[in-house]
Amino acid sequence: MKNIEFRTATSAQGGLVVMGGVPGVAAGSRVQLRDHAGRIRSGLVIRASDDAVLVEVFEGTDELDLERTWVRFLDEPFKLPLSRDIMGRVFNGSGLPRDGRPPIISADRRDINGEPLNPAARAYPREFIQTGISAIDGMNSLTRGQKLPIFSGGGLPHNRVAAQIVRQAKLLGEEAAEFVVVFAAFGASHADARFFQESFEESGVLNKVVMFLNLADEPVIERLLTPRAALTAAEYLAFDLDHHVLVVMTDMTAYAEALREVAVLRGDVPARKGYPGYLYSDLAELYERAGRIKNRRGSITMIPVLSMPSDDITHPIPDLTGYITEGQIVLGRELANQGVYPPVTVLPSLSRLMKDGVGKNFTREDHPHVASQLFASYAKALEVRGLAAIIGAEELSDADRRTLQFADAFERRFIGQGEDEDRSVHETLNLAWDLLSMLPPESLIRVSEDELAKYHKGTA
Amino acid sequence: MGKILEINGPLVKLELPQTVIGEQVRVGRLGLVGEVIGRDGDTALAQLYEDTAGLRPGEVAEGLGWPLSVELGPGLLGAIFDGVQRPLQAVWEQSGDRIARGVAVPALPRDTRWHFVPDPARQAGSALIGGDVLGSVQETASIRHRILTPPLLKGELLELAPEGDYTVEEAIGRVKLADGRIEKLQLFHRWPVRTPRPFRQRDHAVAPLITGQRILDTFYPLLKGGKAAIPGPFGAGKTMLQQQIARWCNAEIVIYVGCGERGNELTDVLESMPLLTDPHTGRPLMERTLLVANTSNMPVVAREASIYVGITIAEYFRDQGYDVVMVADSTSRWAEALREVAGRLGQMPVEEGYPAYLGSRLAAFYERAGRVETCAGDHGSVTLIGAVSPPGGDFSEPVTSHTKEIIQTFWALSKELADARHYPAVDWLESFSGYVGSAAKWWAQHVDPNWERDRAEALDLLAASEELQRIVNLVGVEALSSEQRWTLEAAGLIKEGLLQQAATDEVDSFASPEKQYALLAALLEIYRHGQKLVKLGAPARRLIQMPLLAQARRWKSQHSSDDLAALQAKIAAIPDAFEPLLQEYALAPSTTREATP
């Protein structure tokens, strides 16, 4: 079947081609189309019966002449060839090289859809990853095997934050960054792609990075393959070659929009905002490929970046993402406008796995309480700030004024830091105590009395 | 034997005459399993529980002759199943880290021998009906598994095996049915998941389910056999709260259904459960727990089935006379699975793409909860707690609003509380419980007659403080009278000293009803003392500065439920703390004091 070319296309519309009379085609099989100009396009069988086969064409159906289109069914799903040589390489969304170097030749070719990990085989993420960013390490810690997205908005420095995490991420007690990075960009601008490439180059990690790029002006349907190809490579690096892999994917919004575009073409019933009902399952198929496996050394830690359409966290994409990922780092426009970098809005940010990755044996015994206290004190301080905006700062009590000073210092000194500033978690915690010491000890009820005695610098 | 006609995502059109809707089918060379959901002449439409990639038109398909059923017998407890009751541990051993398609492993281990003790009352010749207890197997140290006859059986017992070790498939008896056929009895039987198991009649629910979580037990109680929902946007601590309930509640069996949720979260449950001990028996918690796990990346059709698998197993333990709690996390994912399949079938969507039958399916599912008199004359209950994940935290969306009409206890989680790290982030204004009256009887009888009054007073205080907080937000705290400021402070005391509860804190994680009431009464006592002083003219400022208030906020994590004497001692000392102020203000006329700054 692989070698037979069929010329039975009966209709074509918006990226979909219907083939008539090709019996026994496997669902999900890969397809090669040759058009009248001899150009090869690839596609996927999304619906199969003996009478009609529906093919999704990645490059689209523009300029396709049905009578002069020859189609071959490759009889296998989309597969990615894998070997050690993928390190340092740049591929497109379907896994073909885009760095001008030869394609990867390997007998080891894997279905990019992967297979679901058995929950019984998973190992729980526990090791603390130090990102060197206080707002993350101190209050929303990342652990190895976690998926922690960055929720951002247009014009916010999410790419810079992601690049800083890639440069600085390390495990405590281990020397250099031993992560390898799989970087996938879909629907990204050329400028963004170049920014990441240069950032990896400057920090000298380029040979530890595998890139999968589908840029904004490239086929939309290929965007659906890009993260799958990248994650297949990540799984290979993590669970075959024992690497700790950090996967950065940007921008998930572009991915979901591509999914919607294809769903509309297929005629799927839309659910919210025109996105198909299976958006959740589809995103989960990607996100859930992060993790650790029992008895395996490697791990996949995932940092998807997504821009929230009009900064709306309740939009289906961030909303469904938040239900799958283990927390989120939210960047805020208000802080960014005040010149705070990284503009992490800590209150809606959360790391669900933090509780098991910090504290005694991991970072420092006071870490969980300090984080909780920072959240509480800052939340309180924001209330006071809201009040001050209404009644004027002059009307505030002394205690409230101290609280306001705390909030300002917290934003400037704790959240704010340099793009090249790599703070150890101990520095972060000490800094936290410096700030908490601005507040009277009796107002700090989330930390224990012993911790107050040991770390609080003020006098009662 | 039939064949595949068309493949469209998880839906497969088959040429399969004489099949029945709901029948299980095995399809293709991989042997993928699914169920028939529609028929048209000789063609049948089936949804498969596994990914259909690689299937081809023309491959074989066969009907298996039974609907989606679960195996019920010894070996359930402590296990973890997928959405169609495949044992994931055994699947792991057989097919490796990833779930290969077409893996077929029986739900109950076939080679384990269980020590069966027959019920001496069952003699050859006696009449048998469905649900009768034949004997029992000590499945785990804490749970005695009663061996039941299949629900619809009716006949005469011919023989029952003597005490001894049997596998689940070996015959432990024979029964002569009404039509004369002779059937063997085994330690297990099958039951279709979409049909509720029969019982004699429904009972009134009487006892509250004690979860050890103060905001739940004290403020919004749930009864054994009741229905509750936990709606909350992501990050509001829904999963954490459910895990706390699964860990601490005083039910005998806990079934946790992870329906379309995170893999790592389930791993956390799997890794931490065996290390935890049951607070009521001191035995490992896993001995009374079983998990049904269909994580979000596992096939969507099996996700739809998973909650039915869970509830059927729950009913089975109920029929043995146990109090069972089933936690379904999350029913929204289940509804979405329903929507996904409905969408592929081209069914007309109503609200937000959900099919029109969403409400009736949800209601029918929740109706499987309840306290019943079993066929054997025993009493058992299924308490159903469903998490809801409303998109964007919007409680008016279809799943939340339908659920709200069905359930009796509503534990609304709030994003604002979670953002301020007030956990559990149960919103005391949005939540409700229709069981307060029944629960009050129990609390009055077992803990303190004043429970209902004190609970209401605390809630009033919280509601009043919400009003005051609005004023403060507008004009500042200085605008309030001393009395109002004290109300605000006391509400804060209740929030921090009672409602907030740290799941990760060893002492605070669980509070017995006695401890819950002691704290409630103590904080209210502080409030009343203060109120008296304010009436006498003491400024709220002085009361707020009392060290007692900061101390009282820590009591919850200083004294465990076993150490109530020390807590009671502190509570007894409350009047002393107010004594100096009382001396000062009780002596002077209030008006002059009020004037001095």
Side-chain angles (χ1 to χ4, degrees):
Chain A
M1 179 138 198
K2 265 168 100 168
N3 303 318
I4 308 171
E5 281 194 328
F6 293 91
R7 211 189 57 176
T8 53
T10 54
S11 75
Q13 198 186 7
L16 296 181
V17 170
V18 179
M19 300 287 299
V22 190
V25 172
S29 138
R30 210 178 143 186
V31 172
Q32 229 167 47
L33 281 88
R34 187 163 60 84
D35 64 17
H36 59 278
R39 274 176 309 203
I40 300 287
R41 308 184 195 203
S42 36
L44 218 50
V45 173
I46 56 173
R47 201 164 166 165
S49 72
D50 281 347
D51 312 322
V53 176
L54 193 62
V55 176
E56 193 171 88
V57 184
F58 301 144
E59 289 84 354
T61 46
D62 291 349
E63 292 174 44
L64 210 58
D65 179 350
L66 292 182
E67 280 68 40
R68 291 187 292 163
T69 297
W70 293 268
V71 179
R72 281 204 299 161
F73 294 91
L74 301 183
D75 224 15
E76 62 168 24
F78 219 97
K79 288 186 173 173
L80 187 71
L82 291 163
S83 80
R84 281 170 200 278
D85 301 334
I86 60 172
M87 295 304 298
R89 297 292 305 271
V90 184
F91 302 98
N92 72 4
S94 350
L96 299 172
R98 61 184 294 154
D99 51 5
R101 288 160 61 190
I104 301 290
I105 307 285
S106 169
D108 194 355
R109 296 167 67 249
R110 295 193 191 170
D111 183 351
I112 61 165
N113 289 308
E115 278 176 325
L117 198 55
N118 187 331
R122 276 185 192 271
Y124 191 67
R126 284 184 203 282
E127 295 118 314
F128 172 79
I129 295 176
Q130 180 179 301
T131 64
I133 297 174
S134 292
I136 298 177
D137 292 352
M139 302 172 74
N140 300 292
S141 319
L142 178 66
T143 55
R144 195 148 72 176
Q146 185 175 8
K147 40 195 180 297
L148 189 64
I150 298 178
F151 285 7
S152 183
L156 293 178
H158 43 265
N159 287 343
R160 282 158 63 198
V161 177
Q164 187 174 3
I165 294 175
V166 167
R167 285 196 306 271
Q168 298 181 351
K170 56 173 129 351
L171 291 156
L172 280 190
E174 294 178 36
E175 288 302 301
E178 54 154 328
F179 281 102
V180 300
V181 176
V182 171
F183 177 79
F186 14 96
S189 68
H190 287 263
D192 286 346
R194 190 169 335 112
F195 165 79
F196 276 104
Q197 225 154 348
E198 280 169 5
S199 154
F200 297 148
E201 225 164 289
E202 274 164 28
S203 49
V205 294
L206 201 55
N207 60 340
K208 286 185 154 184
V209 180
V210 189
M211 295 178 105
F212 290 83
L213 301 180
N214 164 278
L215 300 182
D217 51 0
E218 289 171 347
V220 169
I221 299 183
E222 201 182 81
R223 256 162 236 175
L224 303 183
L225 299 181
T226 316
R228 293 185 164 77
L231 286 164
T232 306
E235 283 171 353
Y236 169 76
L237 292 170
F239 304 125
D240 287 59
L241 303 185
D242 290 345
H243 287 299
H244 294 296
V245 185
L246 197 61
V247 179
V248 177
M249 303 198 292
T250 179
D251 175 332
M252 295 310 296
T253 304
Y255 173 82
E257 280 165 2
L259 193 72
R260 175 169 66 178
E261 206 175 313
V262 174
V264 170
L265 289 176
R266 283 189 194 185
D268 292 335
V269 177
R272 284 170 70 206
K273 297 209 171 175
Y275 291 94
Y278 49 81
L279 178 61
Y280 178 82
S281 306
D282 194 277
L283 288 174
E285 271 173 29
L286 303 179
Y287 295 140
E288 283 291 341
R289 289 171 82 168
R292 293 175 56 216
I293 300 181
K294 282 177 195 153
N295 311 326
R296 304 278 184 106
R297 276 205 59 226
S299 64
I300 297 179
T301 308
M302 193 187 288
I303 303 181
V305 177
L306 69 86
S307 49
M308 299 182 279
S310 33
D311 292 353
D312 176 12
I313 200 168
T314 67
H315 185 281
I317 303 169
D319 190 50
L320 295 180
T321 298
Y323 276 118
I324 307 165
T325 55
E326 284 117 5
Q328 64 278 338
I329 302 292
V330 182
L331 302 189
R333 208 163 289 279
E334 207 173 312
L335 284 175
N337 290 344
Q338 287 164 23
V340 174
Y341 172 90
V344 177
T345 315
V346 292
L347 295 190
S349 298
L350 170 75
S351 166
R352 290 165 187 275
L353 304 186
M354 176 170 181
K355 59 181 169 50
D356 300 299
V358 302
K360 216 171 132 191
N361 303 334
F362 298 105
T363 52
R364 205 167 82 181
E365 81 289 351
D366 57 327
H367 193 163
H369 292 158
V370 168
S372 167
Q373 185 63 57
L374 283 173
F375 274 117
S377 296
Y378 184 59
K380 180 89 207 317
L382 288 187
E383 267 175 39
V384 174
R385 190 184 276 170
L387 183 61
I390 296 166
I391 62 166
E394 304 75 35
E395 301 289 318
L396 294 178
S397 66
D398 282 349
D400 283 350
R401 254 180 239 138
R402 280 168 85 179
T403 308
L404 272 190
Q405 283 165 5
F406 163 79
D408 293 337
F410 175 77
E411 287 168 1
R412 272 182 296 105
R413 290 169 54 200
F414 189 85
I415 299 180
Q417 69 181 80
E419 212 171 323
D420 295 312
E421 190 180 350
D422 189 356
R423 289 183 193 154
S424 76
V425 66
H426 283 260
E427 284 168 340
T428 291
L429 290 174
N430 291 340
L431 179 60
W433 277 109
D434 283 351
L435 297 170
L436 289 176
S437 299
M438 297 170 71
L439 299 170
E442 61 273 12
S443 73
L444 307 177
I445 66 155
R446 305 273 177 113
V447 291
S448 72
E449 276 158 357
D450 294 348
E451 286 158 358
L452 275 177
K454 189 168 171 191
Y455 296 108
H456 194 274
K457 298 184 177 67
T459 45
Chain B
M1 273 293 177
K3 64 171 187 174
I4 302 179
L5 296 177
E6 184 183 331
I7 304 123
N8 176 19
L11 291 181
V12 176
K13 197 185 272 178
L14 307 170
E15 185 184 294
L16 195 66
Q18 286 162 357
T19 179
V20 184
I21 304 255
E23 184 179 352
Q24 296 276 286
V25 286
R26 189 175 287 133
V27 173
R29 279 176 308 168
L30 284 169
L32 306 184
V33 176
E35 68 185 74
V36 175
I37 54 171
R39 266 198 63 185
D40 181 13
D42 281 349
T43 62
L45 195 62
Q47 51 180 7
L48 301 193
Y49 304 129
E50 293 181 275
D51 187 20
T52 54
L55 282 187
R56 297 163 201 279
E59 284 187 41
V60 293
E62 58 169 331
L64 299 180
W66 59 75
L68 176 60
S69 307
V70 284
E71 293 186 354
L72 301 167
L76 288 170
L77 294 173
I80 166 173
F81 298 106
D82 79 352
V84 287
Q85 215 204 6
R86 290 187 297 189
L88 286 171
Q89 198 69 33
V91 168
W92 183 31
E93 281 152 24
Q94 190 174 321
S95 84
D97 297 338
R98 298 186 186 272
I99 302 175
R101 289 187 292 157
V103 181
V105 182
L108 298 176
R110 291 298 190 258
D111 43 8
T112 310
R113 304 190 81 83
W114 302 98
H115 189 75
F116 171 68
V117 183
D119 186 337
R122 299 272 165 232
Q123 295 296 332
S126 64
L128 267 191
I129 57 159
D132 274 343
V133 180
L134 293 172
S136 63
V137 160
Q138 191 73 41
E139 183 174 353
T140 66
S142 20
I143 299 294
R144 202 163 180 79
H145 195 123
R146 299 188 177 97
I147 305 302
L148 305 179
T149 54
L152 299 178
L153 179 127
K154 201 166 187 155
E156 181 194 336
L157 183 65
L158 295 179
E159 60 171 323
L160 189 59
E163 183 173 343
D165 295 342
Y166 304 91
T167 68
V168 288
E169 282 181 314
E170 278 170 338
I172 54 155
R174 285 186 310 138
V175 62
K176 188 172 162 195
L177 303 180
D179 60 8
R181 277 187 300 131
I182 292 177
E183 214 166 70
K184 76 170 177 177
L185 295 166
Q186 294 167 308
L187 289 179
F188 85 113
H189 61 265
R190 289 196 177 84
W191 185 256
V193 299
R194 295 185 199 276
T195 313
R197 285 173 63 91
F199 47 81
R200 229 180 251 177
Q201 61 175 15
R202 282 184 187 267
D203 283 347
H204 282 294
V206 281
L209 181 80
I210 299 300
T211 64
Q213 310 305 304
R214 294 182 290 263
I215 176 88
L216 308 188
D217 298 351
T218 298
F219 290 95
Y220 300 103
L222 172 63
L223 299 185
K224 286 179 178 170
K227 308 175 269 194
I230 311 181
F234 69 83
K238 193 161 35 354
T239 307
M240 199 65 190
L241 183 61
Q242 291 182 83
Q243 289 180 2
Q244 282 294 94
I245 295 170
R247 243 166 235 192
W248 297 114
C249 76
N250 62 347
E252 288 147 314
I253 307 281
V254 175
I255 297 177
Y256 183 89
V257 181
C259 172
E261 289 293 307
R262 304 177 182 88
N264 278 334
E265 235 158 44
L266 269 167
T267 309
D268 185 24
V269 174
L270 283 177
E271 286 188 7
S272 59
M273 279 280 186
L275 305 177
L276 296 170
T277 50
D278 182 344
H280 311 284
T281 61
R283 302 285 314 167
L285 209 50
M286 213 55 202
E287 291 186 354
R288 62 154 197 182
T289 308
L290 77 93
L291 303 164
V292 178
N294 194 267
T295 54
S296 54
N297 55 334
M298 287 156 81
V300 66
V301 180
R303 187 188 309 161
E304 198 269 331
S306 65
I307 66 165
Y308 292 106
V309 166
I311 193 80
T312 308
I313 299 174
E315 287 174 343
Y316 171 66
F317 281 103
R318 172 202 72 190
D319 291 348
Q320 295 176 39
Y322 287 117
D323 288 321
V324 185
V325 164
M326 170 168 145
V327 176
D329 184 12
S330 121
T331 55
S332 294
R333 303 294 161 237
W334 168 79
E336 281 165 12
L338 209 62
R339 173 170 73 183
E340 210 174 308
V341 175
R344 286 196 201 268
L345 290 171
Q347 287 166 345
M348 180 80 88
V350 285
E351 297 164 279
E352 305 220 349
Y354 288 105
Y357 46 81
L358 171 69
S360 55
R361 290 272 177 97
L362 264 176
F365 166 65
Y366 275 103
E367 276 313 304
R368 291 177 75 169
R371 185 163 178 272
V372 305
E373 187 183 335
T374 67
C375 294
D378 230 330
H379 296 274
S381 69
V382 173
T383 310
L384 196 46
I385 301 172
V388 186
S389 322
D394 168 17
F395 286 2
S396 68
E397 61 90 37
V399 183
T400 317
S401 57
H402 282 300
T403 305
K404 208 170 173 177
E405 287 162 22
I406 298 164
I407 48 82
Q408 294 285 319
T409 296
F410 191 69
W411 292 322
L413 297 182
S414 139
K415 181 83 178 138
E416 284 71 39
L417 289 176
D419 279 355
R421 298 310 190 257
H422 173 115
Y423 289 126
V426 178
D427 188 321
W428 46 88
L429 297 177
E430 283 253 4
S431 302
F432 62 80
S433 167
Y435 299 124
V436 175
S438 314
K441 283 185 202 138
W442 183 91
W443 282 82
Q445 216 169 21
H446 293 86
V447 182
D448 195 290
N450 289 327
W451 178 81
E452 194 172 10
R453 185 201 69 193
D454 287 353
R455 170 189 175 275
E457 186 177 349
L459 278 177
D460 285 347
L461 193 57
L462 289 167
S465 90
E466 213 69 22
E467 286 289 315
L468 294 174
Q469 192 62 49
R470 237 168 273 157
I471 301 175
V472 171
N473 288 346
L474 285 177
V475 289
V477 75
E478 302 299 332
L480 298 184
S481 69
S482 259
E483 204 170 339
Q484 288 170 324
R485 282 191 69 174
W486 177 241
T487 303
L488 209 54
E489 179 64 22
L493 186 62
I494 289 187
K495 287 179 209 168
E496 288 168 44
L498 187 69
L499 301 187
Q500 283 186 10
Q501 193 166 357
T504 48
D505 185 299
E506 225 165 280
V507 176
D508 198 23
S509 195
F510 172 84
S512 66
E514 290 74 18
K515 178 179 168 183
Q516 297 190 23
Y517 182 73
L519 280 172
L520 172 69
L523 300 184
L524 284 174
E525 192 184 341
I526 293 177
Y527 165 64
R528 290 180 200 131
H529 275 289
Q531 204 184 22
K532 194 161 99 193
L533 276 167
V534 171
K535 287 224 167 83
L536 284 171
R541 202 164 10 92
R542 294 210 40 200
L543 292 168
I544 292 169
Q545 283 162 354
M546 286 173 64
L548 173 69
L549 298 187
Q551 289 159 7
R553 283 172 161 85
R554 292 182 199 271
W555 286 345
K556 58 179 183 181
S557 49
Q558 283 169 341
H559 303 286
S560 73
S561 302
D562 309 326
D563 174 33
L564 283 186
L567 178 60
Q568 296 291 4
K570 286 185 177 170
I571 293 169
I574 291 173
D576 300 345
F578 284 95
E579 197 50 36
L581 280 171
L582 195 64
Q583 288 292 335
E584 195 178 322
Y585 286 93
L587 299 175
S590 61
T591 43
T592 55
R593 283 287 171 180
E594 189 89 338
T596 46

